[in-house]
């Protein structure tokens, strides 16, 4: 019965996605759903930005082991990221009517900045999408009781997601996000209700036990090294994931600037609150069957929730749980496959073939999507990192290489192309150097060093050449930079 339900659910999802594909008539429809989505759908898509494999399996398992301190990156950092991105994108970028973040880098700076930041953004998706694919393989393995291996499940899951995303683009993603948000929230809330009834004392006892065990302590002890690690994880997810194409696509697919802002705030708020549901379910598992789940904590924490549901809940709960999990993972993986493919086609391929007609460009985006999916699948099949770690590490490259040029380009009128290049090269170079030489032994997280050097590079690269070439008054320098910014961005700096 469970396998039958999973098959039917997957067929229904593919059918809905392919139906949405009938609304795709041009590249703009494919990339940003024609900028036509209403507030409920934008809220659902923003929620689905993060509510995927790491929210269900990764965060919950990490919370059981390390408490709230261990999940500072997600959901605390990721929720704030969605709020900050919503404010920045809706207020400054929505009016530009662009398809990708790479377009902004080109308009504000130059073609080299566009290409380098685009490649940084595309590279950051490798671990993120691989985590979703890995989780799909885990689901198929558990549901079939090992008949379908995790590797075969990854291949099958990738093929299913590709089936509707390749044709429907953002329309398919948005419609399925709306449906799957309702399924995932309803299913996980029902599981939480069933599981709490199996613990003596109910939900209040689970929360009290977690508090007494120190799992609800958020801040680390007063140790500078622990605080640096804590802040590094928080800042990486909070700031490093702002220059992301999937976040940009979801927000700017809204039908108005106001909906773009409120959809991001509402989606972030719902996401932050709802991630505590899988945490509650996973911690309840350790009280229901301490021996079994203590062994799983040592072997594979990602099996905590599936094992609990299969061994301690009725069939209807199992159906709802796996429906909820598949909903969350498929909605997340489809958008995160789409985003890097669209930005690569728009900001790299299109530059080499500027004469492409819209229909040709649409198929270039679809071809990029298939190619990226093959690369991600290969990475997922050969990676041994946990789902949570794959996601947490994904955004170090954009924190060091893409965040400062984006923020400075929006808020600082004196930012120049030379400054952006210095920020990118300095940030990425210092981060990679420290990561290779020191790694986790570094007293300061390497990505924070990269962020600091990137800030310094933007300041020095933008101002020093001007001061050397034009040692006149600061007033003249300000006027020159203001005219250049206005010409490139249509006064977006204001």
């Amino acid at each position: 019965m469970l396998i039958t339900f999973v098959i039917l659910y997957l067929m229904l999802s593919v059918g809905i996605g392919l139906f949405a594909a009938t609304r795709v008539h041009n590249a703009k429809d494919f990339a940003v759903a024609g900028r036509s989505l209403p507030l409920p759908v934008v809220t659902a898509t923003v929620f689905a930005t993060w509510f995927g494999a790491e929210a269900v399996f990764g965060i919950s398992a990490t919370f059981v082991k390390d408490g709230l301190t261990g999940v500072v990156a997600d959901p605390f950092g990721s929720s704030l990221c969605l709020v900050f991105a919503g404010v920045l994108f809706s207020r400054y970028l929505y009016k530009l009517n662009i398809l990708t973040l790479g377009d902004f880098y080109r308009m504000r700076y130059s073609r080299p900045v566009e290409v380098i930041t685009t490649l940084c953004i595309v590279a950051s998706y490798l671990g993120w999408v691989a985590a979703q694919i890995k989780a799909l393989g885990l689901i198929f393995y558990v549901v079939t009781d090992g008949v379908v291996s995790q590797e075969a499940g990854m291949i099958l899951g990738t093929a299913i997601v590709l089936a509707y995303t390749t044709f429907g683009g953002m329309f398919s993603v948005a419609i399925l996000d709306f449906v799957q948000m309702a399924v995932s929230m309803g299913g996980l809330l029902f599981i939480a209700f069933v599981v709490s009834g199996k613990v003596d004392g109910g939900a209040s006892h689970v929360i009290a036990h977690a508090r007494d065990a120190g799992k609800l302590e958020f801040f680390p002890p007063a140790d500078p090294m622990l605080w640096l690690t804590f802040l590094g994880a928080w800042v990486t997810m909070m700031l490093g994931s702002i220059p992301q194409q999937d976040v940009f696509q979801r927000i700017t697919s809204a039908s108005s600037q106001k909906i773009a802002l409120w959809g991001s705030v509402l989606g972030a708020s719902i996401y932050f609150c709802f991630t505590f549901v899988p945490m509650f379910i996973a911690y309840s598992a350790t009280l229901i069957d301490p021996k079994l789940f203590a062994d799983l904590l040592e072997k594979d924490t990602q099996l905590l929730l599936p094992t609990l549901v299969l061994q301690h809940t009725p069939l209807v709960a199992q159906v709802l749980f796996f429906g909820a999990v598949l909903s969350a993972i498929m909605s997340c993986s489809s958008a995160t496959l789409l985003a890097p493919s669209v930005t690569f086609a728009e900001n790299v391929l299109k530059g080499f073939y500027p004469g492409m007609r819209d229909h040709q460009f649409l198929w270039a985006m679809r071809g990029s999507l298939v190619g990226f999916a093959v690369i991600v699948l290969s990475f997922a099949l050969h990676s041994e990192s946990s789902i949570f770690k794959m996601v947490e590490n994904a955004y170090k490259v954009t924190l060091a290489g893409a965040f400062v040029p984006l923020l400075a380009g929006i808020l600082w009128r004196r930012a120049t192309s030379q400054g952006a290049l210095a920020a990118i090269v300095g940030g990425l170079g210092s981060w990679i150097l420290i990561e290779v030489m020191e790694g986790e032994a570094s007293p300061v997280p390497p990505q924070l060093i990269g962020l600091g050097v990137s800030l310094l590079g933007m300041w020095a690269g933008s101002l020093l050449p001007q001061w050397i070439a034009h040692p006149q008054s600061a007033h003249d320098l300000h006027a020159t930079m203001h005219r250049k910014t206005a010409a490139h961005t249509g006064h977006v700096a204001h």
Side-chain angles (χ1 to χ4, degrees):
M1 286 293 294
L2 181 59
I3 296 175
T4 301
F5 166 79
V6 169
I7 293 173
L8 290 174
Y9 182 80
L10 292 173
M11 292 174 62
L12 178 63
S13 296
V14 172
I16 293 173
L18 292 178
F19 172 76
T22 60
R23 298 188 60 181
V24 176
H25 304 295
N26 53 50
K28 188 175 180 180
D29 289 342
F30 188 82
V32 290
R35 289 166 65 101
S36 62
L37 302 182
L39 180 61
V41 179
V42 175
T43 300
T45 60
V46 171
F47 168 84
T49 301
W50 293 111
F51 200 78
E54 79 296 339
V56 179
F57 297 130
I59 294 176
S60 58
T62 303
F63 170 76
V64 172
K65 292 178 66 177
D66 304 323
L68 289 180
T69 304
V71 295
V72 60
D74 196 2
F76 292 93
S78 55
S79 300
L80 286 172
C81 156
L82 293 175
V83 174
F84 294 156
V87 173
L88 287 173
F89 295 162
S90 65
R91 183 175 180 184
Y92 296 101
L93 302 188
Y94 185 88
K95 67 186 75 172
L96 297 180
N97 196 24
I98 54 180
L99 291 182
T100 68
L101 279 175
D103 291 342
F104 171 77
Y105 288 113
R106 183 186 66 252
M107 292 168 63
R108 180 63 175 84
Y109 298 115
S110 63
R111 170 67 175 165
V113 174
E114 171 195 15
V115 172
I116 297 172
T117 51
T118 294
L119 293 176
C120 286
I121 291 170
V122 170
S124 71
Y125 277 98
L126 189 59
W128 171 255
V129 187
Q132 314 308 314
I133 299 302
K134 200 167 186 176
L136 284 173
L138 180 67
I139 291 298
F140 287 122
Y141 173 78
V142 171
V143 167
T144 61
D145 197 22
V147 174
V148 175
S149 68
Q150 292 195 39
E151 291 76 14
M154 292 182 203
I155 297 171
L156 179 61
T158 303
I160 291 171
V161 173
L162 271 178
Y164 61 83
T165 310
T166 302
F167 293 98
M170 193 61 199
F171 267 123
S172 291
V173 169
I175 293 174
L176 278 171
D177 281 352
F178 185 73
V179 173
Q180 292 168 338
M181 176 183 172
V183 173
S184 60
M185 291 182 71
L188 288 173
L189 284 172
F190 181 76
I191 291 294
F193 173 76
V194 171
V195 168
S196 63
K198 293 182 174 293
V199 179
D200 293 336
S204 58
H205 176 68
V206 176
I207 296 171
H209 192 282
R211 183 188 63 241
D212 295 340
K215 302 297 183 181
L216 302 186
E217 295 178 4
F218 180 64
F219 295 106
D223 182 326
M225 294 299 102
L226 293 177
W227 269 90
L228 280 173
T229 303
F230 176 82
L231 292 174
W234 196 347
V235 168
T236 299
M237 191 69 85
M238 180 173 59
L239 302 182
S241 49
I242 288 178
Q244 288 298 315
Q245 178 62 19
D246 65 315
V247 178
F248 174 80
Q249 278 180 259
R250 292 169 187 269
I251 293 173
T252 55
S253 295
S255 58
S256 71
Q257 186 174 337
K258 184 177 180 181
I259 288 176
L261 174 61
W262 285 107
S264 63
V265 173
L266 288 173
S269 302
I270 296 171
Y271 171 76
F272 177 78
C273 296
F274 201 74
T275 49
F276 287 92
V277 176
M279 291 188 222
F280 172 83
I281 298 172
Y283 196 81
S284 299
T286 63
L287 304 181
I288 294 173
D289 194 339
K291 184 179 184 306
L292 171 63
F293 292 105
D295 291 340
L296 282 179
L297 280 174
E298 294 296 325
K299 296 176 182 177
D300 191 349
T301 56
Q302 295 165 165
L303 288 173
L304 273 175
L305 285 186
T307 304
L308 168 70
V309 171
L310 285 175
Q311 296 193 9
H312 293 278
T313 62
L315 179 61
V316 63
Q318 295 175 26
V319 168
L320 287 173
F321 172 79
F322 286 105
V325 172
L326 281 171
S327 294
I329 296 171
M330 288 174 64
S331 62
C332 192
S333 56
S334 58
T336 49
L337 272 176
L338 177 67
S341 308
V342 167
T343 196
F344 180 78
E346 166 74 5
N347 302 114
V348 178
L349 284 182
K350 196 174 183 180
F352 293 104
Y353 304 99
M356 275 196 296
R357 295 189 296 272
D358 187 80
H359 180 72
Q360 293 172 319
F361 181 51
L362 175 60
W363 280 100
M365 287 192 287
R366 286 170 168 160
S368 299
L369 194 152
V370 174
F372 187 72
V374 172
I375 295 172
V376 166
L377 176 61
S378 177
F379 181 75
L381 288 170
H382 295 93
S383 175
E384 296 183 0
S385 298
S386 70
I387 290 172
F388 187 80
K389 279 297 179 185
M390 291 174 80
V391 171
E392 188 178 18
N393 292 332
Y395 299 114
K396 293 179 180 179
V397 60
T398 42
L399 178 67
F403 173 71
V404 171
L406 175 65
L407 191 67
I410 292 174
L411 301 178
W412 193 37
R413 287 177 296 193
R414 298 189 181 189
T416 67
S417 181
Q418 295 97 319
L421 289 171
I424 296 166
V425 174
L428 288 176
S430 57
W431 165 60
I432 293 172
L433 181 64
I434 301 299
E435 194 77 60
V436 171
M437 294 180 62
E438 299 288 338
E440 295 183 359
S442 175
V444 179
Q447 68 271 24
L448 288 188
I449 296 175
L451 176 63
V453 174
S454 183
L455 285 166
L456 181 61
M458 174 58 75
W459 177 84
S462 296
L463 296 186
L464 290 182
Q466 297 295 326
W467 287 342
I468 294 170
H470 304 284
Q472 68 268 34
S473 66
H475 173 77
D476 293 339
L477 173 62
H478 180 277
T480 301
M481 292 308 302
H482 178 71
R483 286 195 298 271
K484 182 178 179 181
T485 300
H488 274 288
T489 66
H491 301 281
V492 70
H494 294 292

